[in-house]
Amino acid sequence: MQQAGIERSSRAAMVLTTGLFFLWGVANNLNDVLIAHFRHVFSLSDFQSGLVQSAFYLGYFCFAIPAALAAERLGYKATVILGLLLFGGGALLFLPASIQLSYGFFLVALFVIASGLAFLETAANPMVAAMGPAEGAAQRLNLAQAFNPLGSIAGVALGATLILSDAPQQGVAGAAAVQLPYLGIALVVLVWAAVLTFTRFPRAATQADGSGGSALAGYGALLRRPRYMAGVAAQFFYVGAQVGIWSYLIRYAESVVPGIGAQKAAWLLTLSLALFMVGRFIGAALLSRSDGARLMALFAGINIILSLVAVAGGIVGLAAVVATSFFMSIMYPTIFVLSLRGLGPLTKAGASMIVMAIIGGAVLTMAMGLLSDLTGTIRAAMLVPALCFAVVTLYARAAWREGVA
């Protein structure tokens, strides 16, 4: 009877943990809508609108190490709850930001949201990977991560319905459009934190060793591990490609299909995210029969070609941009698992540095915006993700040759 109760609580804990992947998917991809929306509300250039992702992913970068230290001292569950509180608090800041009509205030709110997501990802990813045999970690994490694009789809659909308009709004009316969705997100996130607080989790999720300093001491050792650092670099470039493509997909569609309008273009982004989700499920199935590095090398190679096709523009180029999402699907969790393989006591510190690599979403999205402004066309910006996928291909091939997967 007691064992049955423990199993039920473990299932409930797994369901709630998987839900976290959905929640941060909503937050991440609402940014893609915000970029298109704020570009009109505040009359921004492509580079300036890309600062949405810069502020967001800077939050990830700054709070990944504190999140790892929290996981050491407090355990995974407490770290996740802290992350949810920051996430909800940042969403609430959208209300005063819209009232003050301040782009800078919005960027601060996004930074706070991302700081909370850094805690969530640093704790949730390794926790899921550790819930079973090491050889099944990539498949297990891909399955959990499959709910992330479902959240992404929900986020873009929410933004397309409540925020975007084919007749772009400016000034106060445009800024006020973000209030309802973000207040709703804040409510859901804070309720989720309350439910987690009163849910019984397995010991592995709540255990704290009180030695937060050990995580800090481990970073020097990690820097001396070339294979691990190659994984950090691969994640930097992968996230840069993913965030950049999704951030500018609406802009790209408006450019190559005149008259399409931001709201209709946002539904193309939704299609792209749906392909990403399908790719996660198919990828998880393929990973049960193929090693992760080999499959990732194939998918990254295909995306190099699709990104170069996108540079040419037109309907074919737009279709290529949308299609890249299917092949991006397995990359983040696979790089995550390959990078952490064999780290032992350095796993928590290693996970935080992988999360820090998400700063690629800020750096490379800005690079795409700058290239677009300099060349006068968003099509040229697709050269950046082509380069990123080349780096991922090289990492995957190296891991495959070394037999890491």
Side-chain angles (χ1 to χ4, degrees), residues 44 78 106 132 151 192 219 232 283 289 308 314 321 324 331 355 365 370:
L44 305 173
F106 278 118
W192 206 276
Y219 289 106
V232 173
R289 298 189 296 272
L308 293 175
V321 173
T324 58
M331 294 183 191
V355 172
T365 299
L370 183 60

Side-chain angles (χ1 to χ4, degrees), residues 73 141 173 189 205 249 263 303 317 400 403:
R73 287 191 174 276
L141 191 53
V189 166
L249 196 152
Q263 192 172 51
N303 267 359
W400 177 16

Side-chain angles (χ1 to χ4, degrees), residues 214-226:
S214 65
L216 195 58
Y219 289 106
L222 288 171
L223 293 173
R224 295 190 293 272
R225 293 185 177 228

